[in-house]
Amino acid sequence: DYVAGATQFSLYFILFNQYAKHIERPDYIPLDKREDQVNHVVLTNRTSTVADQYATGTLDVAFYSSFAAYRDARAQPENAGKYRTPAPTESLADLALAPFSWEYLKRPTTLAPLLLPLYLVLAPVPSDRLVIQPDDSITRRELRTRYFFQHGAVAVGEEGFYRGFLNNGLSDRFGDNWGLAGSSVLFGLSHSGQGGVQATALGATIFGAYLGWVHQRNGFALGENVAIHFWWNFLSSLALLKTHSGATVVPVQIYLRF
């Protein structure tokens, strides 16, 4: 599909070009310099935030492109009956709207994992838990808006690639158990905990295993996965944007975003 390929490559090139420009600016904060362990804050500013969003956008275009190519190839008549797993059918619009579908939001399998980030949003923040500390160049309100759209793209791209493509393809070739294990480990290895707010490899592997299980449980349909992934990341971002309250509560020290 030359039109789709050209569109996706052009978008990828534009996003990557903007990312490269932003990381060269003098006020850009490298990932390994953001965490202030003394004050338990993760430093950010407008340039660093925008650079991060261009970087994730670049990856998400590549992830979605891989999923879309796999989905469209599986739909070809010559491939009918060749695969054990159902072919993915979701369009970009289907996946983008999934986090706001009552069909998924009412399910216990969607709500149960979201209880932790929801608790972190509502509970006071102890002084030894990491929070995001923006400077005067960007407001917390703008960060919340930016994170809303950023995590929508992340959920669609990562679920399309790691579940829609990898979990489906590996499960077809090696069986559901090995497919789930392989896609979960690869998802985990793509997370390093850098920047103070990204998930660790172990945490992402566990989360990926849950998402992969939901994916298989739903007959390899992706909608619920995107809903879970989006709301986990967005609620986690809201929790990270809170300020230290000084309240004496049991600290919850985890890296949240996947």
Side-chain angles (χ1 to χ4, degrees), residues 25-41:
R25 294 185 177 181
D27 58 340
Y28 173 75
I29 309 172
L31 287 173
D32 60 352
K33 302 295 184 182
R34 296 184 189 182
E35 186 176 345
D36 179 350
Q37 296 183 350
V38 175
N39 297 305
H40 301 288
V41 297

Side-chain angles (χ1 to χ4, degrees), residues 43-181:
L43 305 172
T44 193
N45 56 23
R46 177 176 295 277
T47 295
S48 302
T49 298
V50 174
D52 290 349
Q53 292 177 334
Y54 280 127
T56 56
T58 302
L59 284 172
D60 293 330
V61 169
F63 285 154
Y64 178 78
S65 181
S66 299
F67 163 73
Y70 179 71
R71 176 198 63 202
D72 295 348
R74 287 284 305 268
Q76 298 305 307
E78 62 267 25
N79 287 323
K82 292 184 178 181
Y83 294 81
R84 185 184 65 83
T85 55
T89 59
E90 296 91 349
S91 67
L92 179 59
D94 293 334
L95 298 179
L97 294 174
F100 316 105
S101 169
W102 180 243
E103 177 187 353
Y104 306 127
L105 294 176
K106 67 183 180 181
R107 296 180 184 179
T109 45
T110 299
L111 296 175
L114 300 181
L115 293 177
L116 175 59
L118 182 60
Y119 163 76
L120 295 175
V121 170
L122 299 175
V125 181
S127 59
D128 56 352
R129 199 180 87 197
L130 283 175
V131 294
I132 293 174
Q133 179 61 59
D135 69 7
D136 293 338
S137 65
I138 192 166
T139 66
R140 293 177 187 274
R141 181 177 181 179
E142 182 179 346
L143 282 171
R144 286 192 288 269
T145 302
R146 285 181 171 275
Y147 288 150
F148 181 86
F149 291 103
Q150 177 183 355
H151 293 320
V154 168
V156 170
E158 291 191 1
E159 289 308 306
F161 182 73
Y162 288 102
R163 258 61 68 178
F165 173 41
L166 286 180
N167 194 39
N168 191 310
L170 293 175
S171 296
D172 170 72
R173 184 174 291 267
F174 302 109
D176 286 1
N177 292 336
W178 284 111
L180 176 60

Side-chain angles (χ1 to χ4, degrees), residues 59 63 158 161-163 166 170 180-194 198-209 257-258:
L59 284 172
F63 285 154
E158 291 191 1
F161 182 73
Y162 288 102
R163 258 61 68 178
L166 286 180
L170 293 175
L180 176 60
S183 61
S184 302
V185 169
L186 290 171
F187 183 65
L189 291 175
S190 69
H191 295 76
S192 64
Q194 267 195 316
Q198 191 187 74
T200 62
L202 177 59
T205 298
I206 295 170
F207 189 59
R257 293 187 198 162
F258 295 94

